[in-house]
Amino acid sequence: MRIVFLLASLLMVVACSSTPTPAPVAVQAPAPAPASLVCDSYIVMDMCVQDLRGDGTVDMVFFSDSNEVFMYQQGQKQTVAEVMAFHRCAVPLNEGMQNITNRILHRKNMSLTEEVDIARKLITNYLAAKPEIDACNAQFEDAAPATLAEDDESFMDDLDWGDV
């Protein structure tokens, strides 16, 4: 009987000394992708594209010399305004320009031919929009400084940069 008792006790000790199952670990959501900023000279201008939310989509395009946003993603005007001042003639990115600027974010994986294509499309779009840009800028150049308010929002929301 003693042997049965010792064997039963030994089995209980061995059973109790098994490796405990680890507590379930809470699965954390992946960290958001870092925001991206790419700046370069595109013949006509020195500009930067920035993805503020880390989702791979350009939220704003700005002049690198003045840090003024001249194009912004549709629906993100308020978000962009919290980060940087707008150029007085800022416009929303149309679908074509959104696609072109999104490609700039990923240019490290591009061939020279693709980079040249992007530069060509940017220049073509700029030249197509130049009359409207010049007209917008002219209205401010012709205006007396006293008539311009500091917080004047004369965005060219209804203008559409050509889709090339």
Side-chain angles (χ1 to χ4, degrees):
M1 186 67 142
R2 213 181 239 185
I3 295 178
V4 175
F5 179 72
L6 283 174
L7 274 173
S9 298
L10 184 60
L11 283 174
M12 286 199 309
V13 170
V14 170
C16 292
S17 68
S18 64
T19 308
T21 306
V25 177
V27 177
Q28 295 181 353
S36 299
L37 172 67
V38 176
C39 297
D40 207 343
S41 176
Y42 288 95
I43 300 174
V44 192
M45 62 191 123
D46 291 332
M47 62 175 239
C48 299
V49 297
Q50 188 162 13
D51 169 11
L52 298 171
R53 298 168 295 149
D55 63 357
T57 304
V58 169
D59 295 305
M60 63 186 207
V61 182
F62 62 95
F63 297 112
S64 56
D65 61 340
S66 65
N67 287 333
E68 288 181 316
V69 175
F70 64 92
M71 298 184 96
Y72 55 93
Q73 183 184 19
Q74 292 191 31
Q76 296 300 318
K77 189 174 183 178
Q78 185 61 39
T79 302
V80 171
E82 293 172 7
V83 175
M84 191 176 292
F86 285 97
H87 184 272
R88 61 190 175 204
C89 298
V91 295
L93 287 157
N94 68 23
E95 186 178 344
M97 283 300 289
Q98 185 74 62
N99 291 336
I100 293 167
T101 57
N102 288 349
R103 288 175 59 196
I104 294 171
L105 283 177
H106 309 287
R107 72 176 188 185
K108 63 183 170 191
N109 302 325
M110 284 186 205
S111 68
L112 179 59
T113 304
E114 290 173 305
E115 286 193 43
V116 169
D117 181 55
I118 287 173
R120 181 188 62 78
K121 287 179 178 178
L122 286 172
I123 292 166
T124 302
N125 277 287
Y126 173 79
L127 292 174
K130 192 168 181 344
E132 290 90 1
I133 294 168
D134 289 345
C136 179
N137 283 320
Q139 78 180 5
F140 291 99
E141 291 169 3
D142 294 341
T147 63
L148 292 177
E150 285 281 325
D151 59 347
D152 188 19
E153 281 196 26
S154 297
F155 297 103
M156 301 173 7
D157 285 331
D158 7 32
L159 290 179
D160 191 25
W161 281 40
D163 220 354
V164 179

